[in-house]
Structure formats: structure tokens, C-alpha cells
Amino acid sequence: AFCRIGVCMKTKYFKYLWFVVILGLFVFSMFTIRMKTKTDIQDRIYQKWEKHFVVKKGNEAYVKTTNDKNKDVVLSESQSYGMLITVRAAKKGLANQKDFERLYKYYLSHRIEGNQLMSWEQIVQKSAKNVDDHNATDGDLYIAYALIEASKQWPSHKDEYQTQAKALLQDILKYNYNENTGILTVGNWANKDSKYYNLMRTSDTVPKQFQAFYEVTKDKKWLDINNKMLSSLETISSKTKTGLIPDFIWVDESGARVVKPYTISNQFDSTYSYNACRLPYNLTQSNDEKSQKVLNKMLDFFMTQKNVFSNYNLSGKFLDDHQAASFKAPIAFAAEKDQKYLKLVQQNKIVFMQDLPVKNYYDSAIITLVAMEFF
């Protein structure tokens, strides 16, 4: 009887062991499939973006923003996104250093004479090229950050990439810094003699990048810029129930306030529009208390909405019923940080499953940039 009980116990043991093994294999296979699916999504998005928007000419490459057959319009913004996307893609094995070098060399060839800032716009035609001599701060911020990230990805070029990043950052502080308020201006043209000297593009608040700039340069001014720009966002956020931030604000010695429509661009300057929509992506990458406070208030608002639309006034009324991917992708990315925002992840991650909207440069760029980190 004892032997039969022993056999019975062994049989139960082996059944249990097989169950554990089979369960383990199932979990492993599901994990592998999931990882493969994530990689496939990133690969599909990157390849489509690279094929449609990256134009290679000799040892250079630029990121076009239009579908015009007669000309290509290149922005420092598009080039900076392209450089960072390529570094991120290289980490996934989807791109290589040569791809990055082409984009990097185009930036080097299109710096404004006398400094390291990139011309904010170039119009490329068969017979001529028109190059603007102004810069856009957001583009140069991302170029500097892409170079720092590239120095980590390709250590053999660390000195070169970091040296150029430092030179660019030095010129950002020289030409794009408001000495009175301690924040970044929107471009080198918004200088002391300009009425836009105190204008702040809210999406230029990039806390993770500011921290990286400090770590590379050891210049504490970047930490001060981070603190003051986040404080400005916090002030604006505190004035509404939604916490939504507009594209542009005024910041002077008296504090921060919302601009009026048509201050610099269009009727949406004072709304949560195509600049501010990048903020959830920017803020969620930092654990800074102010970043998280401003971000969480916005996410709490979007949790009350059935859909995420483009363009909201600061009271929370959407002004356009178009569901733009450039609004949805950053929110999905930011919401993943906390289980309580799971609805926003499920609601908006569809933009990564659909075909890349190649007729819309900005949507495609934001989707691709976020996808390289989201999955």
C-alpha cells in the first residue's frame, strides 16, 4: 500500500512538473511573440518613414516635410527628429551609423554662418536652394540631444559627437536665451530688440534633454532653464481645471500668461495645438516633480474625454474634430507610465497599428519618434 502511495505521489509530482514546464513554455512563447510583434511594429513604422521622408544625396540626407514633386521643404525640426529617430532605430537594429552620419552631415552643411545653429528652413529645388538664416530653438535642441545619444550608441565617435553637441548648446545659450527671464526664446530672431523676446514656445520645455545637456556640459544654467520653464508651465496649468497648456505663452518679470490668438502664427496660438501636443511626450520622460504634476493634470483631463481630438481651448472644448496622430501618440506614450491611465493607452495606441500617414509629415514624424520608445 505504501509503495502504491509512493507511485501515486510520484505520478502527481510528474504531472505537476509537466504542468509547470508547459506553462513556462506557453508564457515564454507568448512573451517571444509579443516581443516579435513589437519589433515588427517598430520595423514597419521606421521603414515606411525612412522610405518616404528621408532623401539621400551623396553622403548627406535630409528629411523632407512636403509631398511637392517640384521641391522639398526641409526644417531643422524635421532634421532633428530624423537624427533622433535614427539613433533610436539603431538601438533596435533597424538603422546604422551610416544612416545617422548622412543626416548629421546635412545639418553640418546647413548651419547658419558664424555659429552652430541650423537654418530653420531650406527649400530644395532642382536648380536652386533657398536657405533661411534664422533658427528655431526646438530643432536645435533635438539636434544636440540626438548627438549626445549618438555618442552613447557609437562610442568610437563619442568625442566628435559630444564636441559638436557642446558647441551647438553653447550657441543656443548665446542666441536663444533670454537673460532677463532665464528661459529659452523661440529663435535667434526673437532677440532683445524684438517684441517676441519674452515669448516662450511651451514645447521647448524638454526636461530630460536639459538634464542630459547639464551632464555633458556641466553648465548649471541648463538646470536653471529647466526649472524656470517648468515653473512657467506650472503657473499656466494652475489657472484652469483642465491643466491644458497652450502653444505659446508670455514670460516676463511679472510671471507667465497665455498669449492672444494670432500672436505669432494663427488663431490657435493660445490653445493646446500642434506645438503643445508634444508636451506629454516631453514631460513623461522626466521624473521631475513639476513635470509629473503638469503632465498628470493634463492626463486626468483626457481621461474624461471619449476621444482625443486636435486643438483644444484651455477650458477643454475641442476646436477641431480631427483625431490627429500627433496628439494621440504622445498621450498614449505618457499614459503608459501609470495603470490608472490604461484607458488612454488602449484608446490611442491604434495610431501605431495603422498605416503611417505619409501625406502628413508631422503626424508621421511624431508616430515614428514615439514608436521607437513606446514598444
Side-chain angles (χ1 to χ4, degrees):
F2 178 77
C3 183
R4 285 197 297 273
I5 292 173
V7 170
C8 184
M9 291 177 65
K10 287 181 180 179
T11 301
K12 288 182 179 179
Y13 171 77
F14 282 116
K15 284 183 178 179
Y16 175 75
L17 181 62
W18 273 111
F19 173 76
V20 172
V21 171
I22 292 170
L23 180 62
L25 289 172
F26 174 75
V27 171
F28 176 75
S29 64
M30 291 302 293
F31 176 77
T32 303
I33 290 170
R34 187 180 180 189
M35 290 303 293
K36 187 176 187 301
T37 302
K38 289 181 177 181
T39 303
D40 288 344
I41 292 172
Q42 289 175 324
D43 185 30
R44 172 181 56 80
I45 291 174
Y46 173 74
Q47 298 301 337
K48 192 73 174 285
W49 170 84
E50 196 270 345
K51 179 180 180 180
H52 190 83
F53 292 101
V54 179
V55 179
K56 299 174 183 177
K57 290 191 174 182
N59 65 346
E60 294 184 358
Y62 59 77
V63 180
K64 65 177 184 176
T65 64
T66 58
N67 292 292
D68 193 324
K69 293 181 179 180
N70 299 315
K71 65 180 181 182
D72 288 336
V73 177
V74 186
L75 303 176
S76 59
E77 172 196 273
S78 67
Q79 197 69 11
S80 68
Y81 285 160
M83 290 172 68
L84 186 54
I85 285 170
T86 304
V87 176
R88 297 282 189 241
K91 291 184 177 181
K92 309 289 182 181
L94 305 176
N96 56 48
Q97 188 175 7
K98 186 176 181 180
D99 297 322
F100 178 81
E101 277 286 316
R102 282 197 173 109
L103 295 166
Y104 173 48
K105 288 176 180 176
Y106 182 87
Y107 149 67
L108 291 176
S109 298
H110 293 83
R111 289 170 291 179
I112 297 171
E113 185 176 356
N115 60 63
Q116 305 302 316
L117 307 176
M118 184 177 179
S119 162
W120 86 274
E121 181 185 58
Q122 307 95 54
I123 300 175
V124 183
Q125 295 174 294
K126 291 182 179 179
S127 58
K129 181 185 292 185
N130 181 38
V131 180
D132 196 282
D133 62 356
H134 294 140
N135 89 307
T137 304
D138 53 350
D140 284 312
L141 288 172
Y142 269 90
I143 290 172
Y145 185 62
L147 285 166
I148 292 171
E149 290 296 286
S151 73
K152 300 174 185 176
Q153 179 65 20
W154 298 291
S156 61
H157 283 63
K158 178 180 178 179
D159 290 343
E160 176 190 353
Y161 293 154
Q162 287 202 2
T163 297
Q164 184 56 42
K166 290 177 183 178
L168 176 53
L169 290 171
Q170 186 174 354
D171 276 345
I172 291 174
L173 292 179
K174 183 177 181 180
Y175 297 103
N176 301 147
Y177 176 70
N178 185 316
E179 295 178 356
N180 297 330
T181 61
I183 66 169
L184 298 178
T185 65
V186 295
N188 62 344
W189 52 273
N191 54 37
K192 292 180 180 179
D193 299 324
S194 167
K195 65 179 181 179
Y196 297 110
Y197 189 50
N198 291 324
L199 186 69
M200 172 178 153
R201 183 190 296 106
T202 57
S203 56
D204 287 351
T205 309
V206 283
K208 182 179 180 181
Q209 285 88 328
F210 290 151
Q211 180 66 35
F213 299 161
Y214 165 69
E215 290 172 0
V216 168
T217 65
K218 306 305 179 186
D219 188 341
K220 290 186 178 180
K221 187 176 285 187
W222 289 109
L223 299 181
D224 185 56
I225 289 171
N226 183 51
N227 181 56
K228 288 179 177 175
M229 292 183 76
L230 281 173
S231 293
S232 298
L233 296 188
E234 190 177 28
T235 297
I236 300 299
S237 173
S238 68
K239 293 180 179 180
T240 65
K241 292 182 179 180
T242 64
L244 293 176
I245 305 294
D247 277 5
F248 297 97
I249 60 177
W250 292 114
V251 181
D252 54 30
E253 290 80 357
S254 63
R257 64 188 186 278
V258 179
V259 302
K260 293 180 179 180
Y262 295 102
T263 291
I264 186 172
S265 181
N266 55 43
Q267 71 269 33
F268 300 119
D269 288 349
S270 59
T271 69
Y272 181 83
S273 192
Y274 281 88
N275 278 296
C277 71
R278 297 178 285 189
L279 276 170
Y281 171 79
N282 293 351
L283 299 179
T284 196
Q285 296 178 68
S286 170
N287 292 322
D288 182 282
E289 184 177 343
K290 291 180 181 178
S291 291
Q292 293 304 307
K293 181 180 178 181
V294 173
L295 173 63
N296 288 343
K297 191 171 181 180
M298 286 195 289
L299 292 180
D300 288 342
F301 162 73
F302 285 116
M303 282 290 287
T304 68
Q305 306 298 297
K306 291 183 178 179
N307 289 298
V308 173
F309 297 104
S310 56
N311 288 316
Y312 288 82
N313 67 22
L314 301 192
S315 296
K317 180 182 178 181
F318 65 85
L319 307 175
D320 185 343
D321 61 4
H322 174 58
Q323 295 186 42
S326 46
F327 285 72
K328 296 172 80 70
I331 289 173
F333 179 63
E336 196 181 36
K337 74 187 181 72
D338 194 318
Q339 189 70 20
K340 71 178 182 179
Y341 298 124
L342 181 60
K343 168 194 165 184
L344 292 176
V345 179
Q346 296 173 332
Q347 185 184 68
N348 297 292
K349 69 179 182 181
I350 189 173
V351 297
F352 303 105
M353 314 303 170
Q354 298 171 331
D355 287 340
L356 199 68
V358 293
K359 291 185 178 180
N360 187 315
Y361 142 74
Y362 192 67
D363 279 3
S364 293
I366 297 297
I367 288 172
T368 308
L369 182 63
V370 174
M372 292 301 105
E373 299 179 70
F374 185 47
F375 294 99

